[in-house]
C-alpha cells in the first residue's frame, strides 16, 4: 500500500529533478559560451587598444569618452534606460519572492562590460559576466514549465558557471554561489549548481582554456607566516578603501543629473590617470604579469610608482563605475592585492633583511584583498589558486584571506554588493 501510494510521488519528484538538472546543464553550456567569448574578445581588443596607445599616448583622452558615450547610447536607445544594478539585483532576485532577472540583462551586461574595459575603464568583466549568466538561469526558470519554483537554484547555477568559465575555477564558482548569494543546502540546489559548473568547466577546459597568470611558485617558508598575517591585515584595510571609494563615487556621480557632464568628467579623470599611469588601463592583468620582473629589484625607488598606482586604482575603478561603466571589484581587488603584496615584501626585505619571496606575496595579496572586498574567503582562495594553477600557497592564502575578511568586516561590515540592501 505505502509503496504503491508513494511510487507516483517519487516518479514525479524524479522527473522534476531530472528536468532541473537538464536545465542546469544547458545553462552551464550557455554560461560558458557567454563568459568565454566575452573574455576572448575583450582581451583581444584591450591588447589592440593598448598597442595603439604605445604608438600615440594621447589617444587615451578619447577612448574612455568613446566607451562611456557608446554605453550611454545603448542604454538610452536600445535598453530604454532600464536599470542595471549589477550584483545587487541578482541578490534581490534570490532574496525577494516574485522578482526575477529580465532577459535584457544578458546583452546589456555583455556589451556594456566589453565596452567599459576595452576603452580603458579601470575594472573587469567579471561582474558583467556574473549578472549575464545569472540572467540566463533566471530566463530558463521562466521559460520552461514547472521550473519557476527552482528559480533560485538555476540563477545560482548560472552565476557559478560564469565564474567557473572566466577563471577555469569550478570550486571557486561553487563557493561564490554559496558564500555571496545563498546558503541553501537542499540536494536539488547543490546538484543544479554542480551540474552547471561541470558543463561550463568541461566546455572551457577543452575549447577556451588559457591560464590567466603564469607564476612559477615553488616554495614557501613557515618563518614567513607572521608576515602573511601582516599582509592579511593590510589587505583588509585596502579592501575597505576600495569599497568606500566605490560607494562614495557612485553617490557623487549619482548626484550629477546631467548625463553628459557625468560622462565628460568621468572620462577626463580616467584619461588623466591612465595617461600618467598606463597600468590603470582596463582590468590591469597585464600590469600584474609584469610585477615578477619588477620584484627582482631590491631598490625602494621602484616602489614609488607602484605605491602611487596602489592608491589610485580604487579611484580609477570608482570613477569608472560611477560615470556609467559596467563592472565590479573582482579585477581591481586582484590588481590592488598584487601590488600591495609586492610592496609589502620588498619593504620588509629592504629594512629587515628577511629574504621573503616577493612572488608569493603577490599571489597571496591578490586573494587577501579579494576576500576582504567581497567577504568571501573560500571563493578568493580557490579562485587565486586556480588562476595561478598552483596550490603550493594554499595555507598562506587561507590565513591571509581569513585575516583580511575579519579586519575588513570589523572596520566596515558591508561590501559594494550589500551596502544599499542593508543600510
Amino acid at each position: 500500500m505505502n509503496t504503491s501510494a508513494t511510487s507516483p510521488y517519487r516518479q514525479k519528484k524524479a522527473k522534476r529533478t531530472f528536468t532541473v538538472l537538464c536545465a542546469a546543464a544547458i545553462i552551464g553550456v550557455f554560461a560558458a559560451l557567454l563568459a568565454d567569448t566575452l573574455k576572448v574578445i575583450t582581451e583581444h581588443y584591450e591588447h589592440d587598444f593598448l598597442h595603439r596607445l604605445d604608438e600615440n599616448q594621447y589617444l587615451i583622452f578619447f577612448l574612455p569618452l568613446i566607451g562611456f558615450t557608446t554605453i550611454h547610447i545603448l542604454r538610452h536607445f536600445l535598453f530604454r534606460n532600464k536599470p542595471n544594478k549589477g550584483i545587487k539585483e541578482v541578490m534581490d532576485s534570490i532574496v525577494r519572492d516574485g522578482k526575477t532577472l529580465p532577459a535584457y540583462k544578458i546583452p546589456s551586461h555583455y556589451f556594456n562590460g566589453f565596452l567599459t574595459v576595452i576603452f580603458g575603464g579601470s575594472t573587469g568583466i567579471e561582474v558583467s559576466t556574473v549578472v549575464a549568466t545569472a540572467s540566463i538561469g533566471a530566463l530558463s526558470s521562466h521559460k520552461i514549465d514547472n521550473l519557476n519554483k527552482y528559480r533560485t537554484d538555476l540563477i545560482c547555477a548560472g552565476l557559478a558557471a560564469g565564474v567557473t568559465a572566466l577563471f577555469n575555477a569550478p570550486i571557486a564558482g561553487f563557493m561564490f554561489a554559496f558564500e555571496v548569494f545563498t546558503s541553501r543546502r537542499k540536494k536539488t540546489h547543490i546538484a543544479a549548481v554542480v551540474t552547471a559548473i561541470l558543463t561550463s568547466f568541461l566546455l572551457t577546459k577543452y575549447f577556451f582554456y588559457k591560464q590567466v597568470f603564469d607564476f612559477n611558485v615553488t616554495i614557501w617558508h613557515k618563518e614567513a607566516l607572521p608576515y602573511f598575517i601582516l599582509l592579511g591585515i593590510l589587505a583588509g584595510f585596502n579592501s575597505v578603501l576600495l569599497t568606500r571609494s566605490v560607494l562614495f563615487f557612485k553617490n557623487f556621480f549619482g548626484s550629477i543629473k546631467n548625463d553628459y557632464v557625468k560622462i565628460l568628467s568621468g572620462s577626463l579623470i580616467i584619461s588623466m590617470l591612465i595617461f600618467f599611469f598606463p597600468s590603470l588601463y582596463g582590468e590591469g592583468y597585464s600590469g600584474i604579469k609584469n610585477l615578477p620582473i619588477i620584484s627582482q629589484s631590491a631598490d625602494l625607488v621602484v616602489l614609488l610608482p607602484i605605491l602611487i598606482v596602489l592608491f589610485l586604482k580604487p579611484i580609477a575603478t570608482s570613477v569608472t563605475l560611477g560615470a556609467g561603466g559596467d563592472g565590479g571589484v573582482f579585477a581591481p581587488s586582484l590588481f590592488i592585492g598584487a601590488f600591495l603584496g609586492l610592496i609589502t615584501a620588498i619593504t620588509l626585505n629592504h629594512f629587515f633583511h628577511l629574504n621573503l619571496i616577493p612572488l608569493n606575496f603577490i599571489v597571496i595579496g591578490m586573494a587577501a584583498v579579494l576576500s576582504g572586498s567581497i567577504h568571501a574567503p573560500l571563493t578568493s582562495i580557490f579562485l587565486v589558486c586556480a588562476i595561478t594553477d598552483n596550490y603550493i600557497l594554499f595555507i598562506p592564502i587561507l590565513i591571509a584571506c581569513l585575516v583580511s575578511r575579519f579586519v575588513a568586516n570589523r572596520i566596515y561590515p558591508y561590501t559594494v554588493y550589500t551596502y544599499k540592501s542593508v543600510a
Side-chain angles (χ1 to χ4, degrees):
M1 290 286 293
N2 291 337
T3 303
S4 60
T6 57
S7 180
Y9 169 76
R10 289 180 177 177
Q11 290 177 0
K12 187 177 180 180
K13 184 177 179 180
K15 183 178 179 180
R16 283 202 309 264
T17 303
F18 179 76
T19 304
V20 171
L21 296 184
C22 286
I26 295 171
I27 289 168
V29 171
F30 280 103
L33 291 174
L34 185 149
D36 288 322
T37 55
L38 179 57
K39 177 172 59 178
V40 169
I41 64 172
T42 301
E43 182 178 315
H44 172 78
Y45 283 101
E46 184 182 9
H47 288 172
D48 182 61
F49 285 149
L50 280 171
H51 178 70
R52 293 176 187 273
L53 282 177
D54 289 337
E55 299 173 349
N56 184 359
Q57 60 180 344
Y58 292 99
L59 278 176
I60 193 57
F61 290 99
F62 298 96
L63 292 180
L65 180 60
I66 294 171
F68 286 140
T69 302
T70 307
I71 290 172
H72 176 73
I73 291 172
L74 288 176
R75 282 178 177 166
H76 183 72
F77 291 101
L78 185 60
F79 302 115
R80 304 296 182 185
N81 288 324
K82 293 176 181 176
N84 263 349
K85 298 180 181 178
I87 292 290
K88 181 181 180 298
E89 197 159 4
V90 178
M91 298 177 80
D92 288 345
S93 70
I94 292 174
V95 174
R96 299 174 185 174
D97 293 335
K99 187 170 184 177
T100 189
L101 294 167
Y104 80 85
K105 288 192 167 295
I106 300 172
S108 171
H109 283 280
Y110 188 98
F111 290 114
N112 290 347
F114 166 70
L115 292 168
T116 298
V117 174
I118 68 167
F119 284 108
S122 197
T123 184
I125 59 171
E126 295 81 13
V127 169
S128 303
T129 302
V130 166
V131 179
T133 54
S135 300
I136 292 175
L139 182 64
S140 67
S141 70
H142 177 67
K143 294 296 183 180
I144 302 176
D145 292 338
N146 301 321
L147 286 185
N148 189 52
K149 64 183 294 186
Y150 298 99
R151 185 185 62 198
T152 295
D153 308 321
L154 298 179
I155 288 175
C156 288
L159 63 90
V163 171
T164 297
L166 276 181
F167 299 104
N168 199 48
I171 301 178
F174 182 86
M175 293 300 177
F176 186 60
F178 281 87
E179 278 191 300
V180 178
F181 293 93
T182 178
S183 57
R184 279 193 176 190
R185 296 293 183 268
K186 291 183 178 180
K187 292 180 180 178
T188 304
H189 179 81
I190 295 174
V193 172
V194 170
T195 300
I197 286 173
L198 286 177
T199 54
S200 176
F201 173 71
L202 291 173
L203 187 60
T204 300
K205 183 72 174 178
Y206 290 103
F207 294 99
F208 296 97
Y209 177 69
K210 182 180 179 183
Q211 191 173 326
V212 182
F213 299 109
D214 187 18
F215 291 156
N216 186 26
V217 176
T218 57
I219 193 173
W220 66 276
H221 304 287
K222 62 180 183 297
E223 292 80 10
L225 281 174
Y227 309 108
F228 297 146
I229 295 173
L230 173 62
L231 179 58
I233 294 171
L234 296 174
F237 279 97
N238 277 268
S239 300
V240 174
L241 177 63
L242 176 60
T243 299
R244 295 298 297 266
S245 178
V246 170
L247 295 173
F248 172 81
F249 279 99
K250 278 194 171 184
N251 289 332
F252 173 76
F253 280 98
S255 66
I256 301 175
K257 302 305 179 184
N258 190 311
D259 289 334
Y260 300 104
V261 172
K262 185 187 302 184
I263 291 172
L264 285 170
S265 58
S267 300
L268 181 60
I269 294 171
I270 293 170
S271 296
M272 290 290 293
L273 291 174
I274 296 175
F275 181 80
F276 291 105
F277 300 96
S279 59
L280 294 173
Y281 191 103
E283 57 193 7
Y285 288 167
S286 58
I288 296 175
K289 292 173 183 177
N290 291 330
L291 291 183
I293 300 173
I294 299 173
S295 68
Q296 296 173 8
S297 173
D299 194 344
L300 283 184
V301 176
V302 303
L303 292 185
L304 181 59
I306 297 176
L307 186 63
I308 295 173
V309 169
L310 176 69
F311 287 107
L312 288 181
K313 183 65 175 181
I315 297 174
T317 297
S318 303
V319 172
T320 297
L321 300 178
D326 198 282
V329 298
F330 256 80
S333 295
L334 297 175
F335 183 95
I336 293 169
F339 277 62
L340 176 66
L342 178 61
I343 292 170
T344 303
I346 291 181
T347 301
L348 290 173
N349 284 341
H350 181 84
F351 288 106
F352 301 102
H353 310 290
L354 297 174
N355 294 319
L356 301 174
I357 303 173
L359 180 58
N360 290 1
F361 278 72
I362 291 172
V363 175
I364 296 167
M366 292 166 62
V369 174
L370 181 61
S371 173
S373 296
I374 65 175
H375 289 189
L378 294 178
T379 299
S380 306
I381 293 165
F382 288 103
L383 188 145
V384 170
C385 286
I387 61 179
T388 57
D389 197 22
N390 198 309
Y391 283 81
I392 292 174
L393 295 175
F394 184 87
I395 293 177
I397 290 175
L398 171 65
I399 294 171
C401 283
L402 292 176
V403 171
S404 175
R405 166 69 171 84
F406 174 79
V407 170
N409 187 63
R410 294 290 294 181
I411 299 172
Y412 193 68
Y414 310 123
T415 68
V416 294
Y417 308 147
T418 62
Y419 177 71
K420 289 186 177 179
S421 61
V422 298

